[in-house]
Amino acid sequence: MNIHEYQAKALLRRFGAPVPSGAAILSASDADAAIASVTGPVWVVKSQIHAGGRGKGKFVEAEAGELGGVRLARSAEEAKSFVQQMFGRTLVTKQTGPAGKQVNRLYVEEGSAIEKEFYLSALVDRTTGGVAFVASTEGGMDIEEVAASHPEKIHTIAIDPATGVMPHHGRTLAKALGLTGDLAKQAEKLSATLYEAFVATDMSMLEINPLIVTEDGQLRCLDAKVSFDSNALYRHPELAELRDLTEEDEKEIEASKYDLAYIALDGTIGCMVNGAGLAMATLDIIKLYGEEPANFLDVGGGASEEKVTAAFKIITADPQVKGILVNIFGGIMKCDVIANGVIAAVKAVGLQVPLVVRLEGTNVEEGKRIIAESGLDVLPADDLDDAAQKIVAAVRGRN
Ligand code: ADP
Ligand code: MG
């Protein structure tokens, strides 16, 4: 689960990390109070969306101006005009995709006089099975580009979970960033603070880009991106409340209510499959025959008729879907349950697009019989290859 920058900063502040003061603007009426709470002389107005690259982003609407999603204002009046320009507009950044994201929240914070910008993140490192810091002197820019062009400028500091963060980790971090004296001490303290916050809240990623040195010699977290491990959220009900559903795909939210593993994709063929491996094979074979899948969907091993109906509704609600492929191997899952689920769903929502069903495994004959006798316009398939070719042909026949 991802959260907004202002929420991440509030969390880090609670753990004692150096974060500039600021106030969130959740509705237009919050603007005056939020701006007044920041003393200036520079106010930074920041779009709050779950995507990076906001500074260099562009708004779709001309009224929002050309200045990007993070703006420096020299007066409270200017800050106010930025708020009015950005609120409710659509920001396109390198990470949002071409459609962009609507800015429904803003954050106004005190401007910092920046001397240097660094990159610092903490993540779960699969090779060591522990938390690692990743640091670079090349902050404020795209870290993937730095990793590709100057891999020697990326430093990884692995932390043993048995000891947790130790002073030597902090010293290594300071050295990696070229910090000495008091700034090295601040870096050491920051590493301990961030590690504590990371572990205590079950984060899966924490990215500070940029971490800055101010002109008066202070380390500060100027940006903060936090993701939590969703499997651990049950331990943190207060963090679950930070979830912003407007940032998530509606179909994915609906799927999560039914415990369906669903990921929206860009193509035209909706897929309903049981088992993650079979689902991936299904996406591959659709691509092999020249079309693109509209989603990944694993209905799971023991899906009920209700779950199958919900899955089918989610797929058909997607206007991009021009055809549906149901591919079920009945192991624990029984083919007749799937057949009944599909029929119930088709009856409930109607079928506007071609539907190919491939069933195999437990109760397959019963499943096929139910579908054949349903009177619905379903194209049966013998195997995965046949199914993929049939749905691709059906989708193309419609174009
Ligand atoms: P993003 O990574 O989404 O572009 P950032 O929060 O990193 O957003 O902001 C982009 C840039 O704007 C930063 O690299 C920094 O140069 C500048 N900036 C952000 N916040 C402040 C601030 N409080 N004071 C001064 N400059 C800021
Ligand atoms: Mg940033």
Side-chain angles (χ1 to χ4, degrees):
M1 183 188 93
N2 298 325
I3 57 173
H4 288 291
E5 173 198 1
Y6 79 90
Q7 297 167 323
K9 282 181 167 168
L11 180 77
L12 294 178
R13 193 181 291 121
R14 278 210 296 283
F15 282 88
V19 175
S21 61
I25 301 174
L26 305 184
S27 74
S29 59
D30 298 343
D32 288 334
I35 292 167
S37 74
V38 173
T39 36
V42 176
W43 287 254
V44 183
V45 183
K46 310 183 79 171
S47 308
Q48 300 296 293
I49 53 171
H50 287 185
R54 295 163 300 162
K56 295 198 180 98
K58 274 204 166 146
F59 284 93
V60 171
E61 300 87 354
E63 313 88 270
E66 285 281 299
L67 288 165
V70 175
R71 295 185 188 172
L72 265 58
R74 304 276 162 196
S75 67
E77 292 72 49
E78 194 181 15
K80 175 120 202 221
S81 74
F82 287 159
V83 169
Q84 282 164 351
Q85 282 174 23
M86 295 198 266
F87 208 84
R89 311 281 194 221
T90 306
L91 182 63
V92 179
T93 80
K94 251 181 132 172
Q95 293 182 10
T96 58
K101 284 200 154 192
Q102 192 175 31
V103 177
N104 298 317
R105 303 181 186 190
L106 290 163
Y107 186 50
V108 51
E109 77 178 0
E110 154 206 340
S112 294
I114 305 173
E115 174 134 337
K116 272 191 205 133
E117 294 192 325
F118 301 129
Y119 174 90
L120 178 63
S121 64
L123 44 84
V124 180
D125 185 345
R126 283 159 197 261
T127 43
T128 60
V131 176
F133 281 113
V134 175
S136 176
T137 51
E138 308 305 295
M141 39 203 271
D142 200 338
I143 197 67
E144 282 81 11
E145 267 168 38
V146 180
S149 58
H150 292 286
E152 76 287 355
K153 290 191 173 166
I154 308 254
H155 301 268
T156 304
I157 305 162
I159 295 159
D160 189 326
T163 63
V165 73
M166 310 266 282
H168 73 85
H169 293 118
R171 289 196 292 274
T172 308
L173 173 65
K175 191 152 177 258
L177 297 178
L179 300 173
T180 53
D182 184 53
L183 277 167
K185 287 212 181 73
Q186 291 182 43
E188 206 176 292
K189 186 160 170 242
L190 180 65
S191 62
T193 306
L194 295 183
Y195 184 82
E196 191 200 340
F198 191 99
V199 174
T201 61
D202 288 306
M203 290 181 193
S204 54
M205 212 248 341
L206 162 64
E207 189 180 57
I208 313 289
N209 187 23
L211 169 70
I212 61 155
V213 178
T214 61
E215 282 173 0
D216 56 357
Q218 302 299 311
L219 267 189
R220 250 189 224 169
C221 303
L222 222 57
D223 191 5
K225 192 173 175 182
V226 165
S227 307
F228 298 108
D229 178 352
S230 302
N231 294 315
L233 271 180
Y234 72 95
R235 302 205 287 203
H236 309 284
E238 76 292 355
L239 297 179
E241 280 171 20
L242 301 178
R243 186 170 173 193
D244 180 358
L245 290 175
T246 66
E247 291 285 331
E248 297 177 26
D249 186 289
E250 273 173 39
K251 301 185 289 301
E252 290 179 13
I253 296 168
E254 188 62 21
S256 70
K257 287 185 200 155
Y258 293 91
D259 206 18
L260 294 161
Y262 174 94
I263 311 232
L265 300 170
D266 296 332
T268 54
I269 298 180
C271 304
M272 181 155 86
V273 189
N274 65 328
L278 188 60
M280 284 192 281
T282 307
L283 306 194
D284 281 346
I285 200 160
I286 287 171
K287 283 180 94 102
L288 181 73
Y289 285 109
E291 287 293 326
E292 297 286 331
N295 65 279
F296 168 99
L297 171 59
D298 171 9
V299 292
S304 60
E305 195 175 309
E306 186 201 4
K307 215 166 150 177
V308 172
T309 309
F312 202 83
K313 282 186 184 165
I314 291 165
I315 293 174
T316 49
D318 180 352
Q320 286 196 85
V321 168
K322 303 282 181 278
I324 300 170
L325 172 54
V326 175
N327 181 23
I328 300 292
F329 181 81
I332 301 168
M333 168 72 80
K334 295 187 184 70
C335 293
D336 54 322
V337 171
I338 284 285
N340 282 324
V342 169
I343 289 163
V346 170
K347 285 192 175 144
V349 298
L351 187 62
Q352 296 347 314
V353 296
L355 169 64
V356 172
V357 177
R358 179 255 177 164
L359 297 173
E360 195 54 83
T362 310
N363 296 357
V364 63
E365 292 312 326
E366 177 69 0
K368 284 183 173 167
R369 190 188 59 76
I370 291 169
I371 290 201
E373 289 175 4
S374 69
L376 296 174
D377 187 13
V378 177
L379 297 160
D382 298 327
D383 55 36
L384 182 47
D385 207 53
D386 182 42
Q389 292 187 52
K390 277 187 175 143
I391 192 63
V392 168
V395 166
R396 293 197 168 157
R398 294 206 137 210
N399 288 338

